Amino acid sequence: NARRFLLRAKNGRRPEVLRPLAGQLSAAVSLARLADGIDGIVPVPSALPALWRRGFNPAGELARELARATGHPVLDGLLRKRGLGGAAVKRLKGRTRWVRAGREISVGWMVPGAKILLVDDVLTTGATAAACASALRAAGAAEIRVAVWARTPSTASGFDRSPGGRL
């Protein structure tokens, strides 16, 4: 199944396993024309402990493959996760997850007027994507589009599970 395949890549220190997933993401991005007119591709950053454990950032691997397919640059390092401590955001529930995700993302430089394609492997609640989009807007980005390889199944009807429907 897809979950097992992705976890094999992430936990098995096997970034090459992500290439077929990146091909699928690239095809979807192409069909949806998500990369049309963008200035760069930005991977959602991994927390440092996860980066050290895995040896790579899954979103970064997907972004690099997508950049090869589209010809757009990867703006690696534009977004960073702050700090080392605390429970992983993915283990938190509800509002706590949204608050924590918003505090963890910082930007490395300004991107006034930029159109950005934000890339991640899995979208769960949207908290991390929303935090990244907020940080990119604060850095001056004019438009942020989001491409993810997978989305966890929703337990409620509709896609937007963010507090107040902000995503």
Side-chain angles (χ1 to χ4, degrees):
N1 77 25
R3 181 177 189 275
R4 192 173 352 178
F5 194 77
L6 181 61
L7 290 176
R8 182 178 304 143
K10 291 170 82 165
N11 299 330
R13 300 180 63 99
R14 305 271 317 269
E16 71 279 3
V17 173
L18 294 174
R19 286 191 197 114
L21 309 184
Q24 292 172 347
L25 181 60
S26 179
V29 164
S30 177
L31 285 170
R33 303 180 62 102
L34 281 177
D36 291 2
I38 64 166
D39 297 302
I41 299 170
V42 176
V44 168
S46 284
L48 283 175
L51 192 58
W52 294 332
R53 186 177 64 253
R54 292 183 184 130
F56 67 97
N57 173 4
E61 295 299 316
L62 294 174
R64 272 185 282 293
E65 292 294 326
L66 193 53
R68 279 194 257 297
T70 65
H72 294 293
V74 175
L75 305 177
D76 212 5
L78 176 57
L79 293 178
R80 295 176 292 212
K81 284 218 177 167
R82 293 183 185 117
L84 297 173
V89 170
K90 66 181 154 194
R91 293 191 184 122
L92 301 175
K93 302 287 183 207
R95 178 119 180 98
T96 305
R97 186 175 186 139
W98 281 83
V99 170
R100 173 76 178 280
R103 290 188 201 141
E104 288 191 346
I105 305 295
S106 65
V107 292
W109 62 88
M110 298 302 288
V111 289
K115 293 179 182 173
I116 302 293
L117 179 60
L118 181 67
V119 175
D120 203 358
D121 56 343
V122 178
L123 183 111
T124 304
T125 65
T128 300
C132 289
S134 262
L136 289 167
R137 286 227 186 268
E143 186 176 323
I144 299 110
R145 303 170 190 174
V146 180
V148 296
W149 177 75
R151 181 175 76 85
T152 58
S154 176
T155 56
S157 63
F159 169 76
D160 189 355
R161 292 182 268 163
S162 66
R166 298 181 306 176
L167 184 62

